Amino acid sequence: MRLPLGKIRNDVLHDVVFPNLGVEDMKVVYGPGEGFDSAVLEYDDEHYLVVATDPTLGVPGETFGFFTYHFAASDVAVFGARPRWLVVDILLPPGSERGFLEKTMRDLNTECRKYGSAIIGGHTGVYPSVAEPTSTTTAMGLVKKDQLRLPLAKPGDRIVVTGKVGLEFAVSAAYFREDELRKLLSFREIQLLKGLYRFETAVPDSLVAGPFVRGMHDATEGGLTALHEIADNSGLGFRVYAEKLQLDPLVEKVLDFYGLDPWGVSSTGTVIAITPPENIDSLIKEFNKNGIVAFELGEFTADKKRILIENGEEREFPTFKNDPYVELYGKR
């Protein structure tokens, strides 16, 4: 059986990956699991160590250093920890220019200094088996035990989302399918979309949200269908109100152009905040104070149904089937 493109599906994780994880270790508080993009280890009496790893590939060259930092750092941040240490592997194809590596390292250094992170090791090389620039970053951070934020909900918790739904897809289309988008957008609009890649990070959003939320999740591959993972792990259902969704106008244009609804589109940097109802106003106010658009989208329910309410009608909330971003990238 051939594996589909993109992130390995949960059934294969359970059948192939999860049964082969080495020895048990008492220091591991939370290990691999659906919807858990970071591991949590005992560090000392007061702190946990949060660890995440992510690859960077298939992104526009000018964004490579930025995402080499933020893909993994975002997974640490949504668990409530500030990314502190990074281990970075950068693998380049034959013919790579020194200037590309210089820009990558400058951009990576800029993000590290912005968030107080140190690169403590890694590997860099050029190899004939590498087809395109690829990096793998392992990010680590400490969090006080009472400030750990897990992607778990309780009945009545509200679903608050930061306003970047579909942004990853739209930005990628501006880079990879610019000729097509010229039928829809002006040159200025396409250039504006390209520059919005800097918002594809959950780090600043998570650091702002931490004191107000029960847990967080970065809506990466599969977008808002990540709500199913939160609900599965929590033994809950949820209700989402379509009219509350806020899309950037340019993003909405691009999704409509490709005939996509926003629920299952890659949305890296979009934080799903699991919020006790009494904290809703304070959370959104704090987001707005920091220049972050956010809105309440629905709530988790003891009833295990997963419902999307749209135009006054209820239907089952979509599940993750395939990611349009992977298809977009694969057809370049």
Side-chain angles (χ1 to χ4, degrees):
M1 180 184 75
R2 292 185 178 178
L3 298 172
L5 293 175
K7 188 182 292 186
I8 293 296
R9 304 302 188 256
N10 288 336
D11 59 335
V12 180
L13 287 177
H14 282 281
D15 293 344
V16 179
V17 177
F18 291 166
N20 296 287
L21 298 176
V23 302
E24 293 187 9
D25 190 315
M26 296 299 291
K27 287 285 188 180
V28 179
V29 181
Y30 293 97
E34 297 174 28
F36 278 65
D37 294 328
S38 292
V40 179
L41 307 180
E42 285 281 355
Y43 185 79
D44 59 26
D45 290 341
E46 296 183 0
H47 298 88
Y48 292 125
L49 179 67
V50 179
V51 184
T53 191
D54 256 323
T56 300
L57 71 166
V59 301
E62 69 187 75
T63 73
F64 186 73
F66 177 87
F67 288 126
T68 292
Y69 179 87
H70 280 281
F71 283 159
S74 290
D75 287 341
V76 168
V78 295
F79 272 51
R82 182 180 293 274
R84 182 168 174 181
W85 303 293
L86 273 62
V87 177
V88 181
D89 288 358
I90 298 175
L91 307 180
L92 302 174
S96 294
E97 297 287 342
R98 175 185 172 118
F100 177 82
L101 180 59
E102 289 175 343
K103 174 172 170 44
T104 295
M105 293 308 303
R106 284 197 306 269
D107 291 348
L108 182 54
N109 182 53
T110 295
E111 299 308 309
C112 285
R113 290 186 173 277
K114 184 175 181 178
Y115 294 105
S117 307
I119 298 174
I120 61 171
H123 180 90
T124 310
V126 179
Y127 300 100
S129 59
V130 177
E132 63 177 298
T134 302
S135 65
T136 300
T137 300
T138 299
M140 294 163 275
L142 296 178
V143 61
K144 290 185 177 180
K145 290 186 175 181
D146 63 353
Q147 295 177 9
L148 180 68
R149 299 292 181 254
L150 300 176
L152 298 172
K154 292 184 177 181
D157 282 347
R158 302 301 196 262
I159 300 165
V160 174
V161 177
T162 55
K164 306 180 223 177
V165 176
L167 181 65
E168 180 180 12
F169 180 89
V171 171
S172 298
Y175 278 102
F176 298 147
R177 306 293 279 273
E178 182 173 351
D179 289 345
E180 289 182 357
L181 287 188
R182 286 175 183 166
K183 305 171 187 175
L184 174 72
L185 303 177
S186 68
F187 174 81
R188 178 182 174 278
E189 288 174 323
I190 291 173
Q191 297 309 307
L192 177 60
L193 261 183
K194 288 181 177 180
L196 294 181
Y197 78 86
R198 292 194 170 276
F199 291 94
E200 292 179 46
T201 171
V203 176
D205 305 28
S206 299
L207 296 177
V208 167
F212 305 95
V213 302
R214 192 182 310 282
M216 294 176 281
H217 199 302
D218 186 1
T220 54
E221 189 172 342
L224 291 175
T225 63
L227 288 167
H228 286 292
E229 293 180 334
I230 299 171
D232 287 342
N233 290 332
S234 306
L236 300 176
F238 56 82
R239 295 171 68 85
V240 165
Y241 302 90
E243 69 272 11
K244 293 187 176 184
L245 179 66
Q246 297 179 27
L247 293 176
D248 180 280
L250 283 181
V251 171
E252 188 170 13
K253 279 186 179 182
V254 173
L255 295 185
D256 287 346
F257 180 73
Y258 286 102
L260 300 172
D261 70 44
W263 309 111
V265 176
S266 272
S267 300
T268 290
T270 302
V271 170
I272 301 171
I274 305 159
T275 313
E278 63 270 19
N279 288 351
I280 283 285
D281 291 342
S282 297
L283 173 62
I284 292 179
K285 181 178 179 181
E286 193 66 20
F287 272 142
N288 293 339
K289 178 182 173 183
N290 286 272
I292 299 168
V293 175
F295 50 91
E296 183 181 353
L297 189 61
E299 68 272 340
F300 291 96
T301 62
D303 182 339
K304 294 185 180 181
K305 294 180 181 179
R306 286 86 186 271
I307 301 298
L308 174 63
I309 302 171
E310 190 169 18
N311 298 323
E313 297 183 357
E314 295 186 1
R315 63 182 174 95
E316 189 173 336
F317 194 82
T319 57
F320 176 55
K321 295 178 181 176
N322 54 67
D323 196 314
Y325 172 82
V326 175
E327 297 179 9
L328 182 80
Y329 167 63
K331 292 178 181 177
R332 285 187 301 167

